[in-house]
Amino acid sequence: MIKRHLPFATVAVIALVAAPLLLEPFRLGLLAKYLCYAIVALGIGLAWGQGGMLTLGQGVFFGLGGYSMAMYLKLNEAGPGGLPDFMVWSGVEKLPALWAPFASPVFAVGMAVLGPVLLAVLLGTLVFRQRVRGAYFAILTQALAAAMVILLVGQQGLTGGTNGMTNFFELFGQDLADDSTQRGLYLVVASVLGILYLATRQLVHSRYGRLLVAVRDGEDRVRFLGYDPALVKTVTFAASAGMAGLAGALFVPVVGIISPALLGVVPSLELVVAVAVGGRHALAGAVLGAVVMGYAKTAFSEQFADGWLYLQGALFILVMTLAPKGIVGVVGRLRRARTT
Amino acid sequence: MLELRDVQVVFDGFRALDGVNLTVPEGELRFLIGPNGAGKTTLIDVITGLTKPAGGSVRFGGLDLVGRKEHQIVRLGVGRTFQTSVVFEELTVIENLDLAATFRQPLWSLARRRRGISEAVEQALTRTGLEDLAERSAGVLSHGQRQWLEIGMLLAQRPKLLLLDEPVAGMSKDERERTGELLTEIADDHTVIVVEHDMEFLRRHASTVTVLHEGKVLVEGSIDQVSADPRVQEVYLGRRKAEDAVGNRP
Amino acid sequence: MAAFLNQLPIGLSIGAVLLLIALGLTFTFGQMGVINMAHGEFIMAGAYTAYLMGGLLPALPVAFLVAGVMGLILERAAIRHFYGRPLDTLLLTWGVSLVLQQLARDLFGAPNVQVPAPSWLAGGVGILPYNRLFIMGLAVAGVVAVWVYLTRTGLGRRTQAVVQNRQLAATSGIDTGRVDMLTFFIGSGLAGVAGVALTLIGPVGPALGTYYIVDAFLVVVAGGLGQLRGAVLAAVALGLLNSYAEFWSDASLAKVIVFAVIIAFLQVRPQGMFVLRSRVLT
Ligand SMILES: Nc1ncnc2c1ncn2[C@@H]1O[C@H](COP(=O)(O)OP(=O)(O)OP(=O)(O)O)[C@@H](O)[C@H]1O
Ligand SMILES: [Mg+2]
């Protein structure tokens, strides 16, 4: 029992105690950003690694969460009756009705999770019920991500267009520029990730997790065991969408911006890539992959921006051909090699 | 209990089933035979919702099955196995059986870990004799063991009507014997339809036999009646006997 | 009304480009279970070929060859180890696509370049501009060529056999490896031709392929796997739908509308317009 929880406890202590003490605020902020991505990755690990649903549109859910939060922050700063800065610039005179309810933080945070869940339930129901799956599903989610970006860019007055929304100053009365606020945010992100990780792991080891694997490996056979695979898949897909939405909502105050470039086809794929690099069949692999790839991107694009794309592409080709189980798979193999 | 009336199945113009009538009363052990391509598997597919009939009706316990989804039909108490057995290789034998046993529970209640072994799983394990392999992953099972696991999963579902598609195909003589005993045992308290080719197996275990040929029911009766029927001998037994003599039936 | 009619050639020519792109995708997907994200970069390669050569007509065969050979190399070097694992090939080829895009950026620069349209394509008949007509002509030629290949040549018939049942085809003595190579070559080559066509209606940049690849995959989804008829119908429908959705709403909503229509279509035809029947239980 203790042994099973030891790795998690160690990581949790490092993340919650050591990191805030040792890292300078800038680095801690970056880590918080990676952890936001790790939350999305956890959802991908669940949907794809366990459930076999390759979702290339998690950016959409991440974006819904992010924009919900950003709308609240903007309205909060504009004050009652005021307009967000970008609306003033693009000549909007009256607050759009869609925006009004987001003045309430409860509504905004609620929608950040509920919005993605509802969209995923709708899409999942329509698609899985018709037994559209595998590559077809992947293509559809990718098309959704592409459509979403074009929509966000085009609706300038509602969404801030290409630039998205930025310049956030305070969250729940706290100054966002303050180091202590950022540290607090980091702790929140890390805790949310930890809790979601434990919950997801519990789910994966439960009977539901076994059912999910069965659906992944033999959806048609599962029907003859009396289960409705469409329901199982929809629920799982919705859970992963909710996680992405929550991650988006956390991302906005941490990083200070949300824009279409952060949630289109490429960022969505990048996260899937990160999960594959970490190891898609293990939840820890998904989280690890997101942090490692986030770190690598920052480190390399600081030094040689163009090289990063080559490196990312090459890394990915290598992982897919040589280590399809990712870092977790390689570590597992090394460990087995040592013990035998 | 099960009643098929004038069932038609057409694949791209080819009539796989051409007006099949079949009635199986409760508690019966019915054997379904017929040469390759006669439509036996298709018949099971129609009952279980995998194939939609072009015409006719399928009634089970007074309910119309046509148009229902596969899992809904299972929930009404109709279970099946497949000609080429499909088990979940990444799960252990117990997990496979447990999955089959818990389908009536609401989905949310499955979010807890499995603790211990439920009664249905326990029974399925002992009946199929897979106790020793319980914790092994299904991927390592031999061909025969897989087929038993499939039968076990079917039992764990606790269906009222069991449909088995060539459960002894590819089994060794020993394995066939055990499977036969298992079948007669199951038939004590279930309604069972078994698709089978092996005449010797039929002679030992069959009560009533339905012969299917080119999508139609050719004859129905006791094994002796059926094997004495000249039409059956012509389309099926004659050829089969010759083959069996050479012993090349897989 | 005039504006309404003007959308027609736009929609048809987009459909024509999508068709040229989707032909390769639908056959590699149907035949080998491969999702090739780098297919978009074959379009880009074709377009840059036209840019380098400066002439439209001579660029067509060269672009076909360039893109075809790129496809062949990709198939032999990497993809063939991943047959039947569409999701893995999707991610693998995405890595390839990233590298190729960056390569184009380093070779030709990040800004878009323009390929001057030949003077004989200026003007048009009625509502049909010559350049759009030319693109439609290319697609028709492409489809006819593929159709002749599939139905009138021995290799083509073998290709169809492999699409329908790879194992059976292999056991009946068809060299599936060679058929696969050829399919990849032709499919990628057609994407190169599509790239040349695209220089007639817009600028060329390293990310050119990314604008079309998603829609081309939607054509595959809506048309049905490995189906020539399906690809033609779906491509034309999608091209028209795209251009009229932009016309009726605005550009930003068009893609959402297209997406919604596809989902609605899948409620009626979940496996696309035409389906290859199989009895495999998955
Ligand atoms: N999905 C399908 N599409 C086209 N034809 C089919 C399909 N399913 C079955 N058939 C055809 O219907 C006929 C009956 O098939 P079926 O599988 O029911 O035969 P069977 O009696 O089970 O034979 P076997 O002893 O080989 O299992 C065969 O000719 C088969 O080719
Ligand atoms: Mg059969």
Side-chain angles (χ1 to χ4, degrees), chain B residues 18-40:
Chain B
D18 193 4
V20 170
N21 294 303
L22 181 74
T23 307
V24 181
E26 184 147 10
E28 185 172 316
L29 170 60
R30 173 71 62 97
F31 277 76
L32 199 60
I33 64 172
N36 292 108
K40 306 178 295 292

Side-chain angles (χ1 to χ4, degrees), chain B residues 11-12 14-17 34-43 45 51 83 165-166 195 197 212 249, chain C residues 277-279:
Chain B
F11 294 118
D12 302 318
F14 171 77
R15 292 194 170 273
L17 289 185
N36 292 108
K40 306 178 295 292
T41 301
T42 306
L43 189 67
D45 288 350
T51 299
Q83 194 163 351
D165 199 352
E166 305 204 14
V195 172
H197 276 294
L212 218 58
R249 172 82 200 154
Chain C
R277 248 172 258 286
S278 92
R279 302 185 64 190

Side-chain angles (χ1 to χ4, degrees), chain A residues 4 131 202-203 205-208 210-211 213-214 216-218 221-228 231, chain B residues 48 70-71 74-75 80 82 86 88 90-91 95 98-99 102-103 107 110-113 150 157:
Chain A
R4 200 172 71 203
R131 304 184 188 180
Q202 166 67 23
L203 194 66
H205 289 296
S206 72
R207 280 175 161 148
Y208 186 88
R210 309 287 87 195
L211 176 57
V213 168
R216 177 189 76 195
D217 295 343
R221 183 67 180 90
V222 168
R223 284 179 223 289
F224 294 98
L225 294 183
Y227 298 97
D228 180 8
L231 181 65
Chain B
T48 54
E70 295 94 322
H71 70 271
V74 174
R75 282 167 180 270
R80 73 172 287 181
F82 288 86
V86 200
F88 298 105
E90 281 209 8
L91 306 186
E95 284 170 341
D98 189 68
L99 200 60
T102 51
F103 75 95
L107 204 56
L110 299 182
R112 262 172 286 145
R113 280 179 204 241
E150 254 213 321
Q157 284 181 306

